[in-house]
Amino acid sequence: MALHIKLSTSLREYVEGYNPLHGLYLEKDTLATPIDVASKLGIPLAEIKIIMVNGQHGLPDSPLKDNDRVAFFTAVGGG
């Protein structure tokens, strides 16, 4: 089964050919946590400030299951 991955803004530059409308799918295989996903994609963990798993706040070591949706976000600014 696969994981559905979505990346925000500048994180997309780490994944060649990333489609922001559809995200990307990765086979779950050895991807047990969001840290594993980020490492596989070559995204530095220091760049990721928010992790969402199935629309809920996730932790870097949250366990992932088949068909999970994982989203990574950079720091959010505003004022």
Side-chain angles (χ1 to χ4, degrees), residues 4 7 10 13 15 18 20 22 25 30 34 43 52 54-55 58 61 63 65 67 71-72 77-78:
H4 186 195
L7 305 174
S10 61
E13 69 188 41
V15 182
Y18 178 80
H22 300 288
Y25 291 87
T30 61
I43 300 172
M52 302 294 288
N54 299 321
D61 60 352
K65 302 178 302 299
N67 298 314
F72 295 128

Side-chain angles (χ1 to χ4, degrees), residues 1-3 5 24-41 62-66 68 70:
M1 289 295 190
L3 300 170
I5 312 300
L24 64 100
Y25 291 87
L26 295 175
E27 288 300 318
K28 166 99 175 47
D29 296 334
T30 61
L31 304 176
T33 66
I35 291 173
D36 296 334
V37 174
S39 295
K40 180 169 181 74
L41 295 175
S62 295
L64 298 175
K65 302 178 302 299
D66 290 334
D68 276 351
V70 181

Side-chain angles (χ1 to χ4, degrees), residues 8-10 47 49-50 73-79:
S8 74
T9 60
S10 61
E47 296 292 318
K49 301 302 180 200
I50 299 170
F73 297 88
T74 57
V76 178

